[in-house]
Amino acid sequence: MRLLFLGDMVGKTGRTAVWDRLPGLISDLRLDFVIVNGENAAGGFGITEDIFLETINAGADVVTTGNHVWDQKEAVAFAGRHDQFLRPANYPQGTPGRGSGLFYARNGARVLVANVMGRVFMHPELDDPFKSAEVILDACPLKEQADAIIFDFHAEATSEKQCFGHFVDGRASFVVGTHTHVPTADAQILNGGTAYMSDAGMCGDYDSSLGMDKEEPLNRFISKMPKGRMEAASGPATICGVGVEISDATGLAEKIAPLRLGPRLAETVPEFWR
């Protein structure tokens, strides 16, 4: 199975770049399943229902989120209406929406996708992500109820992300980190066969501070005083993500490599998809 994960869409420039390029990527790379993190898609803060639906219409099979999931008030209302919209699974019981789901890929495979949020340097501090993952895996084991299992681990600390990867190694197909908006250079397959990357990076303008117009963040570092609101940068976007090939026989990863398309970072498409 060929799976593509795209990192956090930031603002209009990030989301429109994904919408423009994703249909062609699905066709050209013969992708079976696509996941997009959309938690910063609405001006850099949260996601609206219209943006979610447009992302699905562009070809995403699932949209994941993170700590900004509720920044747009309408998300509380629409989260429960769409199975393909995920918020972190370790929110307390009774939170609107769902944190995981079983979906069907274009090749017929059953794909379990789970969205979990870390706790180190993160707000709000949610329930234990490791225990939440254990519950998810116990309910839908790999190669029993699911042919592939993917975790979007939305977290700040790379140490927490790496430990989570090792925790589910051999029991999940792929663990990818989101939240920090900077693509890491550690795409690998862990000892037990789980593909792993600490952060997929963002889909947004990299002439920025994490996708936000750089002037206000720079001012706050220098002066310690806000001058105005944070605004999403509006320059040309680079699409960042990661591609994984998953064995139909075992549900574990066979290949992993980053994907980057855009004007600022060196462009790369996984060699095994060329």
Side-chain angles (χ1 to χ4, degrees), residues 66-101:
N67 59 303
H68 288 290
V69 60
W70 310 124
D71 283 7
Q72 302 294 321
K73 291 183 179 180
E74 67 179 86
V76 175
F78 80 75
R81 291 201 291 264
H82 301 288
D83 290 346
Q84 293 164 287
F85 180 80
L86 299 184
R87 46 82 176 160
N90 48 333
Y91 265 98
Q93 190 172 8
T95 302
R98 59 198 300 204
S100 63

Side-chain angles (χ1 to χ4, degrees), residues 44-79:
F45 300 96
I47 185 170
T48 66
E49 187 169 23
D50 285 346
I51 292 172
F52 162 74
L53 291 172
E54 193 71 32
T55 306
I56 295 296
N57 289 338
D61 295 286
V62 178
V63 174
T64 55
T65 56
N67 59 303
H68 288 290
V69 60
W70 310 124
D71 283 7
Q72 302 294 321
K73 291 183 179 180
E74 67 179 86
V76 175
F78 80 75

